[in-house]
Amino acid sequence: MKTYKKLFALIIGAVMIVSLTACGGGGAESTEGGSEEAATPLKVVTEATFAPFEFTEDGDETIKGFDVDMMTAIAEDQGLELEWVNLEFDSLIPALQSNQGDIICAGMNKLSGTRAQEVDFGETYFESVLMLLVKADSDIAGIEAVTPDMKLASQIGTTGGEMVQSMEQEGKIASGVVLNQWTDCYMQLQNGDVQGVIVDKPVGEAYLNAHSDVAKFAGESFGDKEEFAFAVQKGNTELLDKLNAGLKNLKDSGKLQELIDKWFS
Ligand code: ARG
């Protein structure tokens, strides 16, 4: 009988040693190089056909642009790690709502529709208006001159996209064509599939810088003034406060103006 008792005591002792070790027990804090979990980078979701805010080029998936430089500077200022994810524009807000992203930075107008009910926007970092882009040889004088036989394109889910769709519903144009990428909108303009593209002025200017031989603005700006802001998940005030603080530091230090000069001069 004694043998069994000794064996049982040995087994219990072995189990206790193993379990203490597994829980990092033994009393002493592990001082040498306790492994710090690497912080998981915050996911910034965007739609990268919106040069010069966010774009990719020559088959390289690296996202570049003003928004990337601005958020990188904010992250450095606030000690944050970011990774960028390229999605379709109309899935950006759902991505935050489904916890597939932490931040939206996409030249997104904070004043549009129900957006501010769905995510929390930060301070404004850029102001913009809409313009009508037409072919260089077009005689369309401006947005007021479009006729019911015409088709206008813009990007799905954007203020421009909503405008072309409402113009179609009001019978002002034959069709409001909403596409996933701005590059597709420009292509349809050049192919003659549409007679105009409604686009944010700084983005249209970037397109014209490289394509002034084939396109031009028609008339003056129209629609409501837009205020671009980054956004976080509803209620994430801790992250939003950090982003706003970083933006303020960029404005106060002149770094934001430096980036505006770099991308919009
Ligand atoms: N400013 C417009 C809006 O808020 C267009 C934004 C498009 N941005 C993009 N990265 N595709 O609806």
Side-chain angles (χ1 to χ4, degrees):
M1 197 52 178
K2 275 186 181 173
T3 316
Y4 283 120
K5 277 188 176 176
K6 278 184 183 171
L7 185 58
F8 183 69
L10 278 172
I11 291 168
I12 292 299
V15 168
M16 284 178 69
I17 290 165
V18 168
S19 54
L20 277 173
T21 309
C23 297
E29 280 300 304
S30 62
T31 51
E32 305 82 47
S35 63
E36 289 292 319
E37 281 274 306
T40 309
L42 293 165
K43 276 201 180 100
V44 185
V45 294
T46 193
E47 188 287 322
T49 65
F50 198 58
F53 290 95
E54 43 271 333
F55 62 96
T56 59
E57 52 187 357
D58 308 329
D60 178 353
E61 292 186 3
T62 308
I63 303 174
K64 305 166 188 165
F66 172 82
D67 280 353
V68 176
D69 285 0
M70 178 188 71
M71 292 304 294
T72 300
I74 288 174
E76 280 167 13
D77 182 77
Q78 293 294 310
L80 303 173
E81 281 248 346
L82 305 181
E83 66 170 317
W84 289 77
V85 180
N86 192 357
L87 300 174
E88 294 183 354
F89 187 80
D90 61 350
S91 59
L92 298 180
I93 288 179
L96 261 54
Q97 291 173 318
S98 59
N99 208 28
Q100 301 305 306
D102 302 292
I103 304 167
I104 294 172
C105 191
M108 185 176 278
N109 179 25
K110 63 195 273 190
L111 308 175
S112 177
T114 59
R115 290 174 178 175
Q117 296 159 34
E118 297 160 339
V119 293
D120 284 342
F121 284 99
E123 294 302 318
T124 300
Y125 65 80
F126 202 92
E127 293 185 354
S128 178
V129 291
L130 293 178
M131 296 290 284
L132 178 63
L133 202 62
V134 296
K135 288 184 87 166
D137 60 359
S138 168
D139 56 10
I140 299 172
I143 193 70
E144 297 305 326
V146 300
T147 51
D149 59 308
M150 291 180 181
K151 295 181 182 178
L152 298 183
S154 195
Q155 185 177 51
I156 192 166
T158 66
T159 49
E162 284 157 19
M163 183 165 284
V164 298
Q165 289 179 310
S166 57
M167 288 177 77
E168 177 185 339
Q169 285 152 14
E170 294 157 12
K172 291 180 180 173
I173 55 176
S175 173
V177 179
V178 285
L179 302 168
N180 282 329
Q181 300 192 332
W182 287 103
T183 39
D184 297 337
C185 297
Y186 305 143
M187 199 181 306
Q188 292 224 358
L189 178 66
Q190 293 314 323
N191 293 343
D193 296 332
V194 300
Q195 286 68 52
V197 172
I198 292 184
V199 65
D200 302 63
K201 185 174 182 180
V203 174
E205 286 170 337
Y207 178 75
L208 291 177
N209 283 342
H211 301 86
S212 59
D213 55 330
V214 295
K216 63 183 179 183
F217 280 140
E220 301 304 312
S221 64
F222 50 87
D224 299 327
K225 182 187 72 176
E226 297 200 11
E227 294 190 25
F228 294 0
F230 39 69
V232 299
Q233 292 173 359
K234 223 30 170 161
N236 194 343
T237 49
E238 183 185 350
L239 176 55
L240 194 58
D241 290 347
K242 285 183 178 178
L243 298 179
N244 280 331
L247 178 59
K248 183 179 185 306
N249 290 341
L250 263 60
K251 288 176 178 176
D252 294 349
S253 68
K255 175 68 177 175
L256 190 70
Q257 188 55 53
E258 194 183 296
L259 292 176
I260 290 171
D261 295 344
K262 170 183 174 183
W263 289 102
F264 298 97
S265 58

